[in-house]
Amino acid sequence: MGTKKVAVIGAGASGLPSIRHGLLYGADVTCFEASDDVGGLWRYKSHETNESSVMKTTVINTSKEMTACSDFPPQENLANFMHNNEMLNYLKAYAEHHGLMKHIKLRHRVLNIERSQNYEKDGTWKVTYQNPEGKTLEDIFDGVLVCSGHHAIPHWPTPFPGQKEFKGRIVHSHSYKDHKGYEDKVVVVVGIGNSGIDVAVEQSRIAKQVYLVTRRGTWLIPKLETRGLPFDVIMNTRFFSLYKLFPPSLLNSLVEYRINQRVDHDLYGLKPAHRVFSAHPSLNDELPNRIANGTVRIKPNIKKFDGYSVHFEDGSVIPHVDEVVMSTGFSFEFDLIEKGKLVPVTDNEVDLFKYMFPVATSDHNSLCIIGLIQPFGSIMPVSEQQSRVFFANLFSGNHIIPRKSQMSEDVVNKKEAMAQQFVKSRRHTIQVDYIPYMDELAELIGCQVPILKTLLTDPILGLRLFFGPNAGYCYRLAGPHTWKGARNAILTIDQRVRKATTSKPEPTNYTIPLLISTLILFAIIFFSM
C-alpha cells in the first residue's frame, strides 16, 4: 500500500506501542505530546494539572508480566506490582530500546483533528497543532491514533445538600498528590473504587481518622493470590477462563465464597447487593487491615453537609470533618476531533466499533481511539493490540474492519451484553473481559494464539499457553510481525515473577498447584449440583 503518514496523539502507555507498531509496518509516524516528556498518566506531577496524573505512592494494579508490552519483557528485579516511578522507567526504556523518541514531538499540543478536503477520496486527516514557540501549524496524515487516555477530566457528581457551604476543604482525587497537609485531620473519602481505597489507606497512616464512603459497597479482590503470586498471573489464563462454561450464578457464588473466606465482606461493611462479576472489582490487600485496626471506617452514602459536619444516610453524623476527597471517577470527551461532533459522549457512553473506530468514518477507518477500555486485567497489552488492529487495517486498504452495518451491530451487541452483566453506572461503559477481547482483536489481525498447533509441535510451550498467563507475548507467536523472543519470554515468566521477590534460583512452578486447585474446584462444583 506504500508509505503511510500517521499521527499518534499522546506519548503515554497507549501512544508508545502505537508508534512501535506503526514503525513495524513501515509507516512514517509522528507523535504529538503536549507535555515535556513521555509517560502520560505514569509520570507523576507534583503540581495541579489538566493532564492525567497519579498519586506519589501509586502502585500499578496489574502485575509487571501482564502489563508488559509484547516484545519488551520487564527486568527480573522489577517489582511484580511496580511503583509509578518504576512503571515510568519501564516505558522510557521501551521507547529507548525501540528508537521511538526521534518520532515524538514534545511540547507539541494538538488543537484540532478533522477530515481533510480530500477525505472522501483518500481518507486523510488534517491535524492542527501548536509548537513550543506557540505557532499554530497544520499537517495532513493518512491515519490518526488518539491515545490521550481517559483519566484527565475529574467527574464531580451532583453536589450533596450543603456541600457548597461546607467549611472544610473538598478536592477531587485527581488533585490529590500525597499525604502532606492531612496529618492529624479527620478525612472523608467518597468512592470505593481503586483510587478511593488508595487514598483512604494512605491517609489512615497519618490522619486522625479516615471514613470511606460507599453507596453500593464493593467486592475486594486481593492482588496476591495462591502462594503470594500476582492474581492476574493465576486468573488470566486460558485454563482459568473455562469458568465461562459454568452457570453465572454458580460461578458468582464460588468466587464470592472464596473472597469471603479471606475477608467477610458483610462483617467488614463492604458487601454490595450486586454479584462479584457485575461490577469492576476493587483491588487492594491493605484495606481490610486498616478497617480491622479502626483507622478506616466504612460509611454509607452522604445525606448532607452542615458546616463542618457530615451526615450519612444511616443517620450517623461526623461532627467535624477537615478534608473531603472525592474519588468519584473521571469523564472523557473527544472535543479534539471535529469539536466533539464525530465522537459524541453522553455519561461516558460512546459508540465505537471494538471501542476504537467511529462508525461514521467506516468508509476509511483511518482514525481510531486507543486505550478507551477498562479490562478485567491490564490495559497496556489491550492498547497495544488495538494499535495492531489499526495498522493491519490501514495497510490492508480497510479490508479487515467489516462494513458499516456489521460495525453498528457489534456496538449494539456490546452495549446489550454490558447492560445484562454489569450494574448500570458511568463506570461500566467501556468494560471488557481481557482474554475474550484480546482474542477478538487477534482474529482481526490474524495473530490468534496457536494453542492446538503448538501442543503438537512444541508441547512445553503449548501447555504453558493453556495453563500459564495469557501475556501479550502470546500474541507475537503468529500473524504479522512475529517476535522471535516471544517463546522465551513466555517460558520465563515464572522466573521473572520469582526474581522480583527472591534471589533464590529455583524456578517457581505454579502449574501443579493450579491443577490441584482446579481439581478441588471441580469437586466442589460436582458435589454442590
Side-chain angles (χ1 to χ4, degrees):
M1 296 297 295
T3 301
K4 296 286 187 180
K5 190 176 178 181
V6 177
V8 174
I9 315 303
S14 294
L16 293 176
S18 294
I19 303 170
R20 164 65 174 157
H21 285 282
L23 296 177
L24 285 175
Y25 273 90
D28 177 10
V29 182
T30 299
C31 176
F32 296 94
E33 169 55 48
S35 71
D36 59 3
D37 204 353
V38 302
L41 171 70
W42 296 106
R43 183 167 46 81
Y44 168 69
K45 298 111 184 151
S46 60
H47 56 280
E48 186 65 33
T49 176
N50 292 326
E51 301 175 58
S52 56
S53 182
V54 292
M55 294 161 45
K56 190 172 184 178
T57 56
T58 296
V59 173
I60 63 174
N61 279 328
T62 52
S63 69
K64 66 178 181 182
E65 291 298 327
M66 298 304 294
T67 302
C69 297
S70 66
D71 56 2
F72 196 66
Q75 294 178 353
E76 291 180 341
N77 64 332
L78 287 178
N80 283 319
F81 292 97
M82 293 185 285
H83 182 268
N84 64 80
N85 192 53
E86 281 189 316
M87 185 69 224
L88 175 61
N89 289 337
Y90 170 83
L91 291 172
K92 288 185 173 183
Y94 174 80
E96 185 68 27
H97 179 77
H98 290 303
L100 308 183
M101 293 303 298
K102 61 185 177 183
H103 299 278
I104 301 172
K105 292 181 178 292
L106 298 175
R107 298 173 60 207
H108 282 67
R109 182 177 298 278
V110 172
L111 305 175
N112 187 49
I113 304 167
E114 62 185 50
R115 283 168 278 197
S116 72
Q117 290 183 345
N118 294 325
Y119 173 82
E120 290 187 10
K121 178 182 178 181
D122 57 17
T124 54
W125 295 81
K126 182 173 74 171
V127 175
T128 304
Y129 62 95
Q130 189 177 66
N131 70 10
E133 290 73 40
K135 186 176 181 181
T136 299
L137 303 168
E138 296 176 352
D139 207 346
I140 303 297
F141 293 91
D142 297 298
V144 178
L145 298 91
V146 179
C147 308
S148 51
H150 54 93
H151 291 97
I153 306 173
H155 170 64
W156 290 86
T158 302
F160 296 103
Q163 180 176 324
K164 293 181 180 179
E165 292 76 38
F166 176 60
K167 293 184 178 181
R169 182 176 65 151
I170 301 177
V171 301
H172 193 276
S173 58
H174 178 266
S175 299
Y176 178 86
K177 304 299 179 180
D178 55 40
H179 69 275
K180 294 177 182 177
Y182 290 83
E183 296 90 341
D184 302 316
K185 300 289 183 67
V186 176
V187 181
V188 169
V189 181
V190 180
I192 201 167
N194 291 317
S195 61
I197 293 175
D198 285 348
V199 171
V201 167
E202 176 170 284
Q203 287 291 313
S204 69
R205 295 186 175 92
I206 51 91
K208 181 178 181 180
Q209 181 64 59
V210 176
Y211 297 91
L212 181 56
V213 175
T214 172
R215 289 180 301 164
R216 283 193 294 259
T218 190
W219 290 105
L220 197 62
I221 308 295
K223 290 183 181 180
L224 301 179
E225 250 294 338
T226 306
R227 301 172 61 228
L229 292 170
F231 77 100
D232 50 1
V233 168
I234 298 294
M235 296 178 66
N236 277 332
T237 68
R238 299 278 168 180
F239 183 75
F240 192 86
S241 65
L242 292 176
Y243 72 77
K244 288 287 187 181
L245 301 175
F246 301 157
S249 59
L250 175 60
L251 176 62
N252 276 291
S253 295
L254 288 169
V255 174
E256 288 167 13
Y257 175 79
R258 179 178 175 84
I259 291 172
N260 278 317
Q261 287 302 296
R262 191 178 186 113
V263 175
D264 187 321
H265 280 50
D266 186 47
L267 180 64
Y268 276 65
L270 298 169
K271 186 178 180 181
H274 61 260
R275 307 305 301 269
V276 65
F277 288 111
S278 295
H280 192 76
S282 297
L283 297 164
N284 197 278
D285 295 274
E286 298 181 72
L287 181 61
N289 181 58
R290 297 283 124 188
I291 296 173
N293 64 32
T295 54
V296 173
R297 299 189 183 276
I298 303 297
K299 285 289 186 180
N301 202 25
I302 293 174
K303 182 179 181 180
K304 66 176 182 178
F305 288 85
D306 184 10
Y308 278 105
S309 68
V310 178
H311 298 243
F312 299 92
E313 291 182 347
D314 65 352
S316 62
V317 180
I318 305 173
H320 186 99
V321 173
D322 301 296
E323 304 279 351
V324 176
V325 181
M326 304 292 284
S327 300
T328 48
F330 294 85
S331 299
F332 56 83
E333 62 186 22
F334 297 99
D335 292 350
L336 200 63
I337 309 171
E338 298 186 353
K339 296 180 170 49
K341 295 179 181 178
L342 179 61
V343 188
V345 181
T346 304
D347 287 332
N348 278 7
E349 288 194 13
V350 62
D351 293 343
L352 296 170
F353 175 70
K354 303 297 182 189
Y355 306 100
M356 295 176 58
F357 294 96
V359 177
T361 53
S362 60
D363 49 347
H364 293 286
N365 288 312
S366 51
L367 175 141
C368 79
I369 314 296
I370 299 293
L372 189 65
I373 29 82
Q374 183 162 273
F376 278 124
S378 176
I379 192 173
M380 277 184 55
V382 181
S383 294
E384 181 181 10
Q385 193 88 317
Q386 288 181 327
S387 72
R388 295 180 68 188
V389 170
F390 176 83
F391 285 108
N393 185 67
L394 184 68
F395 280 83
S396 74
N398 196 29
H399 289 141
I400 287 177
I401 306 301
R403 58 182 181 270
K404 185 175 182 178
S405 61
Q406 291 173 295
M407 293 174 68
S408 297
E409 183 180 357
D410 182 81
V411 171
V412 172
N413 290 342
K414 278 184 165 45
K415 282 191 174 184
E416 290 178 350
M418 198 173 302
Q420 186 175 5
Q421 179 178 348
F422 294 100
V423 174
K424 183 172 178 57
S425 166
R426 302 176 82 259
R427 195 183 185 199
H428 300 134
T429 59
I430 51 175
Q431 195 76 36
V432 297
D433 285 342
Y434 175 75
I435 292 180
Y437 183 68
M438 288 285 281
D439 286 351
E440 281 184 42
L441 301 181
E443 187 174 352
L444 292 172
I445 301 165
C447 65
Q448 298 94 322
V449 180
I451 297 176
L452 294 178
K453 177 183 177 182
T454 308
L455 281 170
L456 296 174
T457 59
D458 189 348
I460 293 176
L461 178 60
L463 288 170
R464 182 48 57 95
L465 290 175
F466 185 69
F467 289 106
N470 190 62
Y473 326 123
C474 300
Y475 296 93
R476 297 296 293 276
L477 292 167
H481 305 293
T482 57
W483 177 50
K484 64 181 181 180
R487 181 183 188 277
N488 183 63
I490 295 165
L491 294 179
T492 53
I493 288 176
D494 290 3
Q495 178 181 326
R496 290 190 298 277
V497 169
R498 181 178 179 83
K499 287 294 183 69
T501 55
T502 180
S503 60
K504 294 180 179 179
E506 294 85 5
T508 299
N509 187 341
Y510 54 80
T511 301
I512 293 176
L514 180 61
L515 286 171
I516 294 173
S517 299
T518 304
L519 290 173
I520 294 172
L521 176 62
F522 275 110
I524 293 172
I525 295 170
F526 178 79
F527 289 111
S528 64
M529 295 178 68

